[in-house]
Amino acid sequence: ENDFQRHRDSHLELVAALQKMGMKMLIDEPFRLPMINTLYCPDRIHELAVRRRLLNEFMIEIGGGLGRLAGKIWRIGLMGHTARKENVVRFLEALDKAMKTG
């Protein structure tokens, strides 16, 4: 129960911050899983460039979309150790920096 709550809390913190940044989630709230967070990449942002910068500069890997969603969404995992407040904050800071030049 504690692990599930930690995942849920991390998910809620991530989603709230992403929405505050103007991002839109792909999945409606009642159907979301706390461990996998999918959101639309903003139109003004080069999706792959941001993912590459996250990986190369910040050692953070997120997934892109597949099939018809390729180049349009990001998939952010919050599983195990990554589902912690400090990791959510680290990711959000890195994403903000990566989008400014990505």
Side-chain angles (χ1 to χ4, degrees):
E1 287 183 33
N2 290 340
D3 287 343
F4 184 80
Q5 188 60 48
R6 181 173 48 84
H7 282 81
R8 181 98 177 124
D9 291 345
S10 296
H11 161 77
L12 293 173
E13 182 178 352
L14 177 68
V15 170
L18 291 170
Q19 289 175 336
K20 190 173 182 179
M21 293 170 69
M23 308 244 192
K24 182 179 179 223
M25 302 303 288
L26 175 69
I27 306 299
D28 291 334
E29 187 174 352
F31 306 106
R32 293 180 191 156
L33 297 174
M35 296 72 142
I36 302 290
N37 299 272
T38 53
L39 63 140
Y40 288 102
C41 176
D43 290 335
R44 68 189 190 284
I45 300 296
H46 188 274
E47 182 274 326
L48 182 57
V50 170
R51 285 194 296 123
R52 284 183 178 158
R53 185 164 184 218
L54 283 170
L55 183 59
N56 294 332
E57 294 182 30
F58 303 100
M59 305 295 286
I60 296 173
E61 186 172 11
I62 64 173
L66 304 171
R68 65 179 180 82
L69 293 174
K72 297 178 183 177
I73 66 163
W74 287 317
R75 294 175 293 130
I76 303 164
L78 288 176
M79 296 172 245
H81 180 73
T82 60
R84 300 190 187 296
K85 181 178 181 71
E86 60 269 22
N87 291 328
V88 171
V89 170
R90 179 176 174 260
F91 168 73
L92 291 166
E93 290 172 353
L95 180 63
D96 185 56
K97 290 175 184 174
M99 287 195 313
K100 287 183 177 165
T101 59

